[in-house]
Amino acid sequence: MTKLSRNHSIAKVSAIPNLRYHPSQRFVLRRLDSGHAADFAADVRRGLSASPKFLLSKYLYDELGSRLFAAICALPEYYLARVESEILAAHAGEILGLLEGPLRLLELGSGDAEKTPLLIEGLLARQGQLRYLPIDISESAVEASGEKLLLAYPGLSITAFVADYQEALQALSRLIAGAAGAAGAAGAAGAAGGSAERTLALFLGTTLGNLEPDEQHALLGALRRLLRPGDGLLLGVDLKKPASLLLPAYDDPLGVTAAFNLNLLVRIHRELGGEFDVRRFRHLALYDPERGRIEMRLESRVAQTVPIRDLGMEVAFAAGETVHTESSYRFDPDQLAELARATGFALWRSWTDAEGRFGVFLFTPF
Ligand code: AVI
C-alpha cells in the first residue's frame, strides 16, 4: 500500500486553528489539547515534586512512544493484543449483527487502529459508507492510521480528535447534538452527525485499565451521556490472572517495554530540558495483587540530582527510588459488569478466548 505523502495528505486551514482536513474532505483532524505543552510542564513539575514521585502515563505516547507501543503489540510476550484480535476476528460478524444499522464507529484510544479494520470491513460491507471517529492523545498515531485507513477503504470518512478522552467526548457530544460552535462545525459535524445513525463505541486493548477506578467510572459515565439506547459499547479488557502469567508481557527480554517506559525521560529531556541520563534509570514492572494492577516504574540506579531547565527545578533521586509511570488494572467480568451498570450500561454479550485470558464485552445503554 502506498503511503500518502505527509505534506499532501492533510492540509492546515489557517483561519481555524487546530483543525486540519484532507483535501478529499474525507479526513478532518481536530486537535483539542491546545494547552498541551503547558499541561505537560505543569504535570511533570507536580509529579516529580510529589512523594512518591509519579509521571502520568498519557505522556508515554509521543511519536516514538506510540511507535514503541505498536512494537510492544507485536511482541510474543504481549499476548493481549494478539488474543483480542483473535476474539474480534472470530466474532465481528456476530457483534455487528446485534446492532441495528446504519452505524458510525467511535473509537477511544485508537492508536494505530490495527484492530479496527476487523469491524470497519463488516460495516462497509453492510452499509457502503462509514463515519469513523477516532480519539487519541497521539497526533502522529491518529494521522498515520487515518491515512492508511482512507487509502484502504474508499467508503470511509474520518473525523479524528487528538485530545484527552473527556475533552473529546465533550466536543463530540456538542457535535452530535448539532450545537457545535462556528469554527469548523460544518465539516466536523457533518462527519459526526446524522441522527438516524447509531453509534458503536470501541474501547479496546484494555486501555480502560490505564485509568484509575474513579476515572474509569467518570469516563464510562461521559460515554453513557453520549450514547442512546440501541447504541453499543464494545470494551476489550485483560482479565485477572496470576502475576507469573502477566509480568512477562510488561518486562520483555528484548527491552521494548523498557524503552517505552524510559522514553518518558527522553521526552522530558527534549521538551523541557531535563538532563536525564536514561542509563542511570531502569524499567520495573510489578504486580500489586490487592489493587489488581500492573505498575510500571522507573527506578533510579544511583543517587543523583537532575536539573530540568525549563521548569527551573532540580530533582533529587535516592538510589533505588522509583517514579510511578503507569498502572494497568486487570478486570474480572462481574466487576466490569458492575462498573458498567453503575454508569448506565447493561451487558449485552461477552466473548473470551479458550483460556479465559482476555474478554470482549458488548454493553448497551439502559
Ligand atoms: C495501552 N495500554 C493498554 C497498555 C497496557 O497494557 O496497559 C500500555 C502498556 N504498558 C506497558 N506495556 C503496554
Side-chain angles (χ1 to χ4, degrees), residues 61 69 72 78 80 205-207 210 250 257 260 296 326 328:
Y61 301 92
F69 177 61
I72 288 173
Y78 198 72
L80 299 73
T206 210
T207 306
N210 293 138
Y250 290 83
T257 310
F260 172 65
M296 285 208 311
E326 184 188 70
S328 191

Side-chain angles (χ1 to χ4, degrees), residues 228-286:
R228 298 172 302 173
D231 290 345
L233 165 61
L234 195 66
L235 265 178
V237 295
D238 199 33
L239 301 176
K240 286 208 166 129
K241 57 181 68 64
S244 57
L245 299 177
L246 275 173
L247 284 170
Y250 290 83
D251 198 7
D252 61 279
L254 268 181
V256 182
T257 310
F260 172 65
N261 197 6
L262 287 161
N263 178 53
L264 200 38
L265 302 182
V266 176
R267 180 173 185 177
I268 298 173
H269 176 79
R270 187 181 62 244
E271 295 185 24
L272 299 174
E275 290 175 22
F276 286 100
D277 176 352
V278 295
R279 281 168 291 230
R280 295 178 147 214
F281 289 84
R282 75 180 178 113
H283 162 71
L284 289 183
L286 312 164

Side-chain angles (χ1 to χ4, degrees), residues 100-155:
E100 284 170 20
L103 289 168
R104 63 183 158 233
L105 202 56
L106 165 66
E107 182 165 18
L108 284 84
S110 53
D112 62 7
E114 269 295 302
K115 297 163 207 145
T116 325
L118 295 167
L119 295 156
I120 289 178
E121 287 176 13
L123 285 169
L124 283 173
R126 166 163 132 183
Q127 60 195 51
Q129 307 252 305
L130 177 65
R131 294 155 190 215
Y132 175 49
L133 305 156
I135 301 173
D136 202 276
I137 193 77
S138 166
E139 182 162 359
S140 58
V142 164
E143 245 184 57
S145 60
E147 289 175 2
K148 206 166 136 187
L149 291 172
L150 286 179
L151 279 169
Y153 303 110

Side-chain angles (χ1 to χ4, degrees), residues 183-241:
S195 58
E197 277 182 330
R198 291 183 188 274
T199 303
L200 172 57
L202 309 178
F203 200 13
L204 302 175
T206 210
T207 306
L208 182 68
N210 293 138
L211 303 178
E212 292 302 318
D214 59 329
E215 296 169 331
Q216 295 172 10
H217 192 282
L219 184 65
L220 292 190
L223 254 177
R224 172 63 191 90
R225 288 190 287 281
L226 191 76
L227 300 179
R228 298 172 302 173
D231 290 345
L233 165 61
L234 195 66
L235 265 178
V237 295
D238 199 33
L239 301 176
K240 286 208 166 129
K241 57 181 68 64

